[in-house]
Amino acid sequence: MRRLQRLFLLPLLLAPLCALAAPGVDAITTTTNADGGQTYTLSIQVLLFMTALSLLPAALLLMTSFTRIVIVLAILRQALGTQNTPSNQILVGLALFLTAFVMMPVFQECYQVGVKPYFEERLELNQALENAALPVRDFMLAQTRESDLELFARIGRFEQMQSKSEVPFSMLLPAFATSELKTGFQIGFLIFIPFLIIDLVVASVLMSMGMMMLSPLIISLPFKIMLFVLIDGWSLVFGTLASSFLV
């Protein structure tokens, strides 16, 4: 019983010592510069960086060429009629690597104007982020239709802008995503037409032969695969997708 009482009294005896102990490391510490700006400690910078990492999937989907590429590849698989071949994992992997290829010049420019000067302590964090966002912004503006910009400007009731450089990012992002969806479906439609013609021809032949119980997809699938392989379809699709982002 006495041992239990001592255990309960031990925190009370140590409380004054804890109060006299040195304070711990502050979670957030800011330093005011001579020009009035503020610099955050390394701990808060790491916290901001980890928060930004959680937003990378959404940024990859909506701010790069990934959306257009994955839509075209999905429509191509549907046009071939191969069900789950290639699988979703393979399509996403192909889209990711092709996105990296298309966006590599933009990423290199972001590194040169924003990331590298920040690591060399020639720029503060806020200025480095602004510089690194400029190449991505230029890429998005080059791929966005003016009609989509006007649509979201009207919906958001933004003031009239004299040039594209004045377009706010809150309006550019949905306009760019809408343009990418349109372009992806347009390219997918053009890819779908030859395979649709093969399906129609096979269905007409089967109907004329009275083989109405036989699915035309079973007969047309080998012909569509053979056509796609003979014309080197993967190279044509990837080349068309990559060249569609050139301005």
Side-chain angles (χ1 to χ4, degrees):
M1 189 66 179
R2 291 181 178 179
R3 291 181 179 179
L4 292 177
Q5 291 177 352
R6 291 176 182 176
L7 289 177
F8 283 114
L9 291 175
L10 184 60
L12 297 178
L13 295 175
L14 294 178
L17 298 177
C18 295
L20 295 175
V25 180
D26 295 334
I28 301 176
T29 304
T30 59
T31 304
T32 304
N33 300 327
D35 56 356
Q38 291 184 340
T39 303
Y40 297 99
T41 57
L42 181 61
S43 58
I44 191 62
Q45 292 180 8
V46 173
L47 177 61
L48 294 175
F49 179 73
M50 297 302 295
T51 304
L53 285 179
S54 63
L55 300 177
L56 276 181
L60 178 63
L61 292 176
L62 297 179
M63 297 173 59
T64 63
S65 57
F66 180 84
T67 302
R68 182 189 307 184
I69 294 172
V70 76
I71 287 176
V72 172
L73 294 180
I75 294 178
L76 172 61
R77 183 178 65 179
Q78 185 70 24
L80 285 172
T82 53
Q83 301 298 325
N84 294 324
T85 305
S87 62
N88 292 332
Q89 292 83 355
I90 295 177
L91 287 185
V92 173
L94 291 173
L96 284 174
F97 280 105
L98 191 55
T99 299
F101 173 79
V102 172
M103 299 296 297
M104 188 57 64
V106 179
F107 293 154
Q108 289 177 347
E109 188 176 356
C110 292
Y111 176 79
Q112 293 295 331
V113 301
V115 179
K116 185 177 180 180
Y118 174 72
F119 285 156
E120 295 176 353
E121 298 183 356
R122 292 188 284 112
L123 288 178
E124 296 182 1
L125 179 60
N126 294 336
Q127 185 63 39
L129 291 176
E130 292 179 2
N131 292 353
L134 289 178
V136 179
R137 178 187 176 87
D138 294 339
F139 170 81
M140 296 173 65
L141 282 172
Q143 304 299 327
T144 305
R145 293 179 174 85
E146 293 186 1
S147 59
D148 294 326
L149 289 174
E150 295 175 356
L151 170 65
F152 286 96
R154 183 173 64 256
I155 295 175
R157 297 179 180 178
F158 289 95
E159 298 180 356
Q160 186 174 2
M161 289 154 286
Q162 301 298 329
S163 62
K164 288 186 176 181
S165 60
E166 300 178 1
V167 176
F169 194 80
S170 59
M171 185 181 77
L172 175 60
L173 183 58
F176 173 75
T178 304
S179 295
E180 288 297 286
L181 289 173
K182 289 182 181 179
T183 306
F185 277 99
Q186 288 175 353
I187 298 175
F189 171 76
L190 296 176
I191 294 176
F192 208 108
I193 290 178
F195 301 106
L196 180 61
I197 293 175
I198 294 177
D199 288 334
L200 291 176
V201 171
V202 171
S204 300
V205 172
L206 292 178
M207 288 289 291
S208 62
M209 296 176 62
M211 304 175 65
M212 293 177 293
M213 300 300 295
L214 182 61
S215 175
L217 296 178
I218 300 177
I219 306 301
S220 63
L221 180 59
F223 293 98
K224 290 190 289 186
I225 293 178
M226 180 181 64
L227 173 65
F228 192 69
V229 171
L230 289 177
I231 64 174
D232 198 7
W234 289 114
S235 298
L236 290 176
V237 171
F238 290 157
T240 301
L241 286 172
S243 60
S244 66
F245 292 96
L246 299 177
V247 179

